[in-house]
Amino acid sequence: MDSVTQILLGSAVGYATLGSKLGRKSLLVGAGFGTLPDLDVLINFGGDVENFVYHRSFSHSLIIQLLLSPFIAWLIAKMHWAKSVSLVRWSVAIFLIMGTHALLDTFTVYGTQLLWPLSNYPFGISSVFIIDPMYSMPLLFAFIALCFTRLHPYTTKINSAALVFSSLYLTWSLAAKWHIDHKIQYALTQNMIAFKQFESTPSPFNTLLWRAVATTEQGHYEIYASIFDSTDEVSFRFYKTQNHILEDLTEDHRVPLLQNFTKGLYGVYQQNQTYIFSDLRMGLEGFYVFSFEIAKHSESRIKPSDFKQQQNRPPLSRTSLVFDRITDPGVNLSLIKTD
């Protein structure tokens, strides 16, 4: 999730675990440790591909967080202002603040390595968009309310209510995803479309309209479906890709890294003499957030490139159409023409 939401969640969990002892200081503690796991973005893991794959690895591991929490608690407990809280309580609070950060990230599609180093599998439920006001607003309301001392008799209830409401929204997102997946897969069956990999993700800022990708040997389908759509109103567009190019790049370790991290939901596109690898899960056709230049066509041969990430984010001007498409199946969200 976005950094602001993680700060708000950390503050809420911090107040729930430490508020009775530290008061409003617990909000700052929660905000700090709620941000800490994402500081791995400051680390250069060796290249653009490695930075993409290894983000949300060790810093988001529940195992590492569990092991580090008592040590961090021991350091904090030495400070004068922190002595009113027991070492055990500090340990539990720090683990819960960082752990809920990691668990919330798993509700997005990116991939969070919760069990690193035992496993580098990127867990991703893909039931909420990386920014979702419906999840964040209750936490923001609680944060603002807790900053006012005149509400002190009610702060615990306000904070608890915010955590309950935001958690209920996550529960709703799981139910919505199940409903959408069932609808889309039924529509795929009706249209006699066989696919290898499938994933659905919420469209920006909501859980009412969903975008899905279904890959085949020749390319992939980009699919849009609203909670309110009938099966016949689910929209499909097919796009050819050139994934076979990867067969000429098998010696480069970055190719399997990308294939495994994207869980097979990728496409290779030729742009003039350049080949681009795109993660199909994030963005939309023609505008994928994570795309890398992997090869160039030179002298009738495919030569590996530098795997630099390409800047190709979706245009914000299309955002309003997302909300139009929720209730109107006739709205076309595709920016690229099919072959």
Side-chain angles (χ1 to χ4, degrees):
M1 294 293 282
D2 64 283
S3 298
V4 173
T5 298
Q6 292 289 12
I7 288 173
L8 294 173
L9 176 62
S11 296
V13 175
Y15 193 86
T17 54
L18 300 170
S20 61
K21 296 290 185 179
L22 298 180
R24 285 183 293 176
K25 289 181 181 178
S26 62
L27 297 175
L28 297 177
V29 172
F33 285 105
T35 303
L36 186 61
D38 277 344
L39 294 184
D40 67 337
V41 298
L42 302 177
I43 301 173
N44 185 351
F45 291 100
D48 289 354
V49 170
E50 290 83 355
N51 293 340
F52 169 59
V53 171
Y54 297 135
H55 174 48
R56 293 191 186 177
S57 56
F58 75 93
S59 66
H60 288 65
S61 167
L62 296 178
I63 297 171
I64 299 301
Q65 292 172 352
L66 183 62
L67 294 175
L68 282 180
S69 292
F71 175 70
I72 297 173
W74 176 72
L75 292 176
I76 293 178
K78 291 181 175 293
M79 302 179 187
H80 178 73
W81 61 269
K83 293 185 180 296
S84 61
V85 180
S86 69
L87 184 60
V88 172
R89 190 164 186 168
W90 267 118
S91 299
V92 172
I94 292 170
F95 175 69
L96 288 177
I97 294 169
M98 293 195 297
T100 51
H101 174 125
L103 290 174
L104 178 59
D105 275 346
T106 65
F107 281 84
T108 67
V109 73
Y110 187 95
T112 307
Q113 299 175 43
L114 295 178
L115 300 180
W116 189 96
L118 299 182
S119 170
N120 61 0
Y121 180 78
F123 293 90
I125 299 173
S126 185
S127 66
V128 291
F129 189 68
I130 191 171
I131 302 174
D132 194 321
M134 290 297 293
Y135 177 84
S136 305
M137 288 304 294
L139 299 174
L140 176 61
F141 173 79
F143 180 82
I144 294 173
L146 267 55
C147 288
F148 293 94
T149 54
R150 59 188 175 87
L151 295 175
H152 180 69
Y154 310 103
T155 52
T156 300
K157 291 183 178 180
I158 292 173
N159 190 60
S160 298
L163 288 170
V164 169
F165 281 127
S166 59
S167 298
L168 287 175
Y169 183 73
L170 291 180
T171 303
W172 149 255
S173 75
L174 294 174
K177 181 177 176 66
W178 177 87
H179 174 71
I180 286 291
D181 284 357
H182 178 76
K183 181 184 297 185
I184 293 176
Q185 293 185 25
Y186 183 74
L188 286 167
T189 301
Q190 278 192 320
N191 287 274
M192 294 182 289
I193 297 174
F195 59 91
K196 297 194 303 180
Q197 305 290 341
F198 170 86
E199 184 64 271
S200 63
T201 58
S203 61
F205 317 127
N206 76 98
T207 50
L208 298 177
L209 176 66
W210 294 66
R211 174 185 177 272
V213 172
T215 62
T216 70
E217 291 291 345
Q218 295 75 33
H220 62 271
Y221 289 88
E222 184 176 52
I223 308 162
Y224 285 98
S226 167
I227 290 292
F228 306 110
D229 283 355
S230 67
T231 303
D232 293 336
E233 291 171 331
V234 174
S235 57
F236 298 85
R237 280 181 180 264
F238 181 76
Y239 299 93
K240 291 182 180 180
T241 53
Q242 300 188 49
N243 294 0
H244 63 277
I245 295 300
L246 298 178
E247 297 173 3
D248 296 323
L249 304 172
T250 54
E251 294 183 1
D252 196 304
H253 73 283
R254 291 168 292 191
V255 170
L257 279 180
L258 289 170
Q259 289 175 312
N260 292 332
F261 192 76
T262 59
K263 303 175 184 177
L265 293 156
Y266 61 84
V268 177
Y269 303 83
Q270 184 174 1
Q271 297 179 1
N272 297 321
Q273 299 300 309
T274 300
Y275 292 94
I276 305 296
F277 180 107
S278 294
D279 183 340
L280 302 178
R281 302 172 302 164
M282 290 171 274
L284 67 158
E285 189 63 26
F287 296 91
Y288 289 109
V289 178
F290 294 102
S291 295
F292 304 87
E293 181 184 310
I294 60 171
K296 291 184 178 179
H297 196 278
S298 177
E299 299 176 355
S300 301
R301 293 192 302 131
I302 304 298
K303 293 184 178 180
S305 190
D306 54 9
F307 283 73
K308 286 292 184 182
Q309 184 174 349
Q310 308 298 296
Q311 298 301 318
N312 196 27
R313 294 181 178 273
L316 293 177
S317 59
R318 304 284 292 185
T319 303
S320 61
L321 293 179
V322 169
F323 297 98
D324 293 338
R325 174 61 180 84
I326 292 174
T327 55
D328 184 358
V331 174
N332 180 16
L333 295 176
S334 299
L335 294 176
I336 305 297
K337 293 181 179 180
T338 55
D339 294 336

